[in-house]
Amino acid sequence: MMNFEWNLPTKLNYGVGNLEKVGELTKNTGKKAFVVSYAEPGKGVWVVEQALKSLEKAGVAYYLYDAIEPNPRVTTIDAGVKKFIEEECDFLIGVGGGSVIDAGKYIAATAFSGGSCWDYVILKERKEKVYTGAYPIIAVPTVAASGSEANAGGVITNWETNEKSFCRSEYRIPRMAIIDPKVFASLPRHITIDSSVDIFSHLIEHYLSSASESEIADRMTEGMILTVMEMLDKVLVNPEDLDARGQLSLCSIFGWSGLQAIGRTGSIPIHFIEHQLSGHFDISHGKGIALVIPPYLEYFAEARPDRWAKLARRVFGVVEPDDNKAAKLLAPKVIEWFKRVDSYHTLTSVGIGGEHNEMLADDIIRMYGTLEGNKVPGSRPMSKEDIMNVLNAAV
Ligand SMILES: [Fe+2]
């Protein structure tokens, strides 16, 4: 087991009907809230309207910045930083999915620390800036997927350079997450499915890539994956099953909070590959992840047969005693599940041709190739050729 530091300072406030309490729950946080939400008309508008109504009822002053797009852009976030300062806000409320909450976290920290949000993300060739603090952040998640409502992460896209990158900062961990399962019950079916696959991807990243062992982390991960599979089945039958929605939201939070990897942190190779896909082609993160997972699991099964076999046996019912053989059964089992819940995608099925694969692999190596030989961290270090092989198999 590795040494670690872990802290989850986010207060989780869970309840059916919590959306109506946003004003009451946040009124003592500051003088004026900067409310961040989606740009697209119709996207979760009733949730935003209800949150604003609740703020008004509690007498909370606010400025609404309804400008965030999926795969949030550096230009939009920097414009938000400018507005936050102009409007003299002193705390931030993000009402939306991972894109909105991530963007809000960058706005609150960049407005406090100065510069552009892009100065702070990880890019191999330069030393990134470090945040010195952030205005208090409150998250009201409308999608259970990214876990951004209770972690230090955040992914943003630079459309001038077609790069998507991230950083972590403890200052950006939301002070409170206000969770209302009724909000999730209104999500379209395909978003619920993509989100559940994203939660699954978070749970398997460190499980399959860490060099250390931590049985408690393994057991928590396995339990959360089984919960995701079981609860997704329930909400696909009954989208209004609020208990199942609530359980999915907890998997989203704890599945990407560091708790799932406690004592055996690894790396996030599936996300490294996917980020450049959605950074170039603006597909949803959940779909991108769903199309990278099967070829990744197939291609790298020999890298860590012990880990692949453990997951295959404990979660997917594989009984094969030989690790090498059991490892190879994981990808087919996951594909079987993806097909059953309508989340099996390929590059072709989302309208992207394989002709871009070399450019994507070059970008992934350029941005994340931190290891000797310009390799990217993963279950074993990934070369450009490895990444090309995964992407070619995804076509
Ligand atoms: Fe993700």
Side-chain angles (χ1 to χ4, degrees), residues 198 201-202 256 271 285 289:
D198 191 23
S201 75
H202 300 157
W256 214 208
H271 279 71
H285 173 61
I289 279 290

Side-chain angles (χ1 to χ4, degrees), residues 273 291-302 347 354 356-362 364-365 380-395:
I273 298 175
L291 73 86
V292 172
I293 289 174
Y296 180 87
L297 294 181
E298 263 167 26
Y299 184 76
F300 283 104
E302 286 167 10
L347 280 171
H356 310 288
N357 287 352
E358 182 155 17
M359 173 270 292
L360 289 168
D362 279 333
I364 295 161
I365 294 287
R380 72 169 153 75
M382 300 193 290
S383 65
K384 177 182 167 185
E385 193 193 347
D386 290 329
I387 296 168
M388 289 279 291
N389 285 333
V390 170
L391 289 170
N392 288 338
V395 173

Side-chain angles (χ1 to χ4, degrees), residues 8 38 52 65 77 81 96 99 127 133 143 149 157 164 169 211 220 247 253 279 282 304 318 327 370 376 388:
L8 186 72
Y38 281 116
L52 295 179
Y65 188 63
I77 295 167
V81 170
S99 298
K127 182 92 195 92
V143 181
E149 58 271 31
T157 303
K164 186 168 181 177
S169 165
M220 285 192 290
Q247 293 288 314
I253 290 169
D282 212 11
R304 292 291 306 275
V318 166
T370 53
V376 177
M388 289 279 291

Side-chain angles (χ1 to χ4, degrees), residues 85-160:
I85 295 165
E86 268 169 28
E87 290 291 324
E88 297 181 348
C89 295
D90 60 356
F91 71 110
L92 183 141
I93 304 176
V95 185
S99 298
V100 164
I101 296 172
D102 281 1
K105 286 157 75 172
Y106 276 93
I107 291 172
T110 312
F112 188 96
S113 306
S116 161
C117 60
W118 195 247
D119 300 339
Y120 297 88
V121 304
I122 293 168
L123 292 175
K124 191 184 87 176
E125 67 263 29
R126 64 110 193 255
K127 182 92 195 92
E128 62 273 10
K129 258 175 110 166
V130 178
Y131 283 118
T132 53
Y135 290 100
I137 300 159
I138 311 281
V140 184
T142 59
V143 181
S146 69
S148 183
E149 58 271 31
N151 69 32
V155 186
I156 57 178
T157 303
N158 186 334
W159 284 99
E160 277 152 27

